[in-house]
Amino acid sequence: MIDLVTGAAGFLGSHLCDALLARGHEVIGLDNFFTGSKDNIRHLLADRRFELIRHDVINPILLEADRIYNFACPASPIHYQFNPVKTIKTSVLGAINMLGLAKRVKARILQASTSEIYGDPEEHPQRESYWGRVNPIGPRSCYDEGKRVAESLMVNYHSQNGVDIRIARIFNTYGPRMALNDGRVVSNFILQALRHEPITIFGRGEQTRSFCFVSDLIDAAVLLMEKEGVTEPVNLGNPEEVTVRELAELILRLTASRSKLVFKDLPIDDPTRRRPDISLAREKLGWEIKVQLQDGLRETIAYFRRLLSA
Ligand code: NAD
Ligand code: UDP
């Protein structure tokens, strides 16, 4: 089995490469190193079953593969808003190129979609049947709408060309190998706490998220890819919901930090509540969360502690 992973040098992509190699597959990792780092995959470079290609998914590429995991795309708001037009191209042209490849070599393809396709949701928790509430012209739209087009491309290549598709709607995921400058809430708070710097809470910290540890997410993605016939979108995430303030307080406690909380402006269109309904993943994949938030945070804190002391 040859798996192609786009975004292989990123946070999720690098863990995915590890998991696929551990299952005995050959892996081709592809990345343009925008937010990814060779450090995340350095340990794989000596593995004869792993190949790394520097490539931008907005350009076509021809390779032989049985499975394509399309994970290339910046995921942190500060990174995807840095060059929004490029973010749209990555999602849209990237999906077109990877679907074209899947069609040509008859590979099965899994698209990393996102809870962001639900926008700032009126339905809570979010089920896959919910269409979402996305501002099409707001600062998050380059990411949200790009991913919505990617889903549309997936279902249309499936119905029009018979491409075998999987759509993973991934909710907030955290863990080791998030970049130091990633800017997402878990890595920001842990780094601030370890450095005893102020913890930057956006808004009043009453907005909620549901945080999934990376190993659980990767298990689910591989299960979904290998499950026959699940071509509809599937939510993948941890249904345990916390406020941003609760997350900050938990991280302060786990790091025994002297940091104080500071309150900054809430970014425009920041979703108020987010929690997945994972009934479909449970039913179709037999998947359950194994790592509780506290345990996953402990592991992530240990990773950043090592990184800071290196
Ligand atoms: P990340 O930023 O750590 O990784 C993204 C990787 O894609 C990086 O290695 C980057 O260099 C690469 N990349 C970006 N644009 C590219 C391009 N045009 N061509 C080739 N490579 C490119 O982010 P992540 O958290 O690992 O997210 C991976 C995927 O999962 C993304 O598609 C993201 O939208 C999706 N996702 C992640 C989360 C999460 O919470 N981590 C949630 C929902 C969806
Ligand atoms: N957030 C925060 N402080 C930070 C970074 C993020 O309070 O330093 C908040 C952000 O406003 C959002 C939540 O944490 O409400 C999750 O933000 P993140 O960027 O991690 O992901 P997303 O908004 O895409 O879910």
Side-chain angles (χ1 to χ4, degrees):
M1 177 81 75
I2 303 179
D3 298 318
L4 172 63
V5 176
T6 76
F11 162 51
L12 294 182
S14 64
H15 285 281
L16 182 57
C17 291
D18 285 348
L20 296 170
L21 288 163
R23 281 168 173 77
H25 300 193
E26 284 182 53
V27 176
I28 305 171
L30 191 153
D31 210 292
N32 72 348
F33 300 106
F34 171 40
T35 51
S37 157
K38 276 201 187 143
D39 290 339
N40 287 339
I41 43 170
R42 198 173 299 285
H43 60 290
L44 301 180
L45 297 178
D47 190 327
R48 292 163 63 88
R49 291 171 304 135
F50 181 73
E51 267 175 84
L52 177 63
I53 301 175
R54 181 186 286 265
H55 179 79
D56 195 308
V57 291
I58 73 168
N59 299 311
I61 189 165
L62 184 58
L63 293 163
E64 288 299 328
D66 305 298
R67 302 280 187 259
I68 302 171
Y69 289 87
N70 191 27
F71 275 59
C73 187
S76 160
I78 56 167
H79 290 136
Y80 71 62
Q81 289 171 23
F82 173 74
N83 184 344
V85 172
K86 178 66 196 259
T87 301
I88 298 170
K89 286 183 182 173
T90 294
S91 281
V92 177
L93 297 176
I96 290 174
N97 288 327
M98 288 306 127
L99 279 158
L101 178 63
K103 176 181 157 191
R104 196 158 164 180
V105 303
K106 298 194 170 27
R108 183 179 291 175
I109 178 168
L110 182 147
Q111 172 65 34
S113 186
T114 169
S115 53
E116 292 280 331
I117 64 104
Y118 299 122
D120 191 3
E122 305 108 319
E123 178 179 305
H124 193 79
Q126 293 79 52
R127 281 173 301 184
E128 289 86 351
S129 54
Y130 178 50
W131 289 0
R133 186 166 73 115
V134 171
N135 175 358
I137 55 168
R140 299 173 81 98
S141 72
C142 60
Y143 184 73
D144 304 3
E145 299 289 17
K147 291 286 186 178
R148 288 170 68 99
V149 175
E151 286 202 11
S152 175
L153 284 163
M154 292 285 287
V155 294
N156 284 300
Y157 268 80
H158 175 61
S159 56
Q160 204 177 322
N161 302 108
V163 174
D164 194 8
I165 59 158
R166 302 289 181 273
I167 301 173
R169 288 191 180 151
I170 303 170
F171 284 65
N172 297 63
T173 302
Y174 69 98
R177 299 192 199 150
M178 295 183 89
L180 282 175
N181 68 349
D182 184 273
R184 279 176 281 184
V185 68
V186 172
S187 50
N188 270 10
F189 285 2
I190 291 178
L191 285 167
Q192 290 162 347
L194 291 176
R195 291 167 166 154
H196 303 287
E197 290 169 356
I199 305 277
T200 54
I201 294 193
F202 298 165
R204 295 166 62 195
E206 286 166 3
Q207 68 275 34
T208 67
R209 295 291 185 274
S210 305
F211 297 99
C212 182
F213 189 61
V214 61
S215 58
D216 279 332
L217 192 282
I218 298 298
D219 282 352
V222 177
L223 275 172
L224 175 58
M225 177 64 108
E226 293 308 330
K227 187 77 185 175
E228 291 305 314
V230 186
T231 54
E232 71 267 39
V234 181
N235 286 341
L236 302 180
N238 183 353
E240 185 191 344
E241 182 183 2
V242 293
T243 67
V244 165
R245 190 177 175 135
E246 284 166 346
L247 177 75
E249 282 161 357
L250 180 56
I251 289 174
L252 281 178
R253 191 158 56 73
L254 295 175
T255 52
S257 172
R258 297 189 300 276
S259 294
K260 298 273 176 293
L261 304 183
V262 295
F263 294 86
K264 304 269 187 189
D265 289 344
L266 188 67
I268 297 166
D269 293 341
D270 199 280
T272 317
R273 302 182 75 186
R274 191 185 280 156
R275 174 182 171 199
D277 180 321
I278 57 163
S279 314
L280 193 64
R282 283 193 174 116
E283 177 202 329
K284 299 274 182 185
L285 311 177
W287 173 71
E288 285 294 342
I289 293 289
K290 292 190 190 127
V291 183
Q292 298 308 311
L293 182 59
Q294 286 215 10
D295 300 325
L297 286 177
R298 279 201 185 89
E299 209 169 305
T300 312
I301 290 165
Y303 168 80
F304 280 114
R305 224 190 264 285
R306 280 198 304 277
L307 216 60
L308 291 182
S309 64

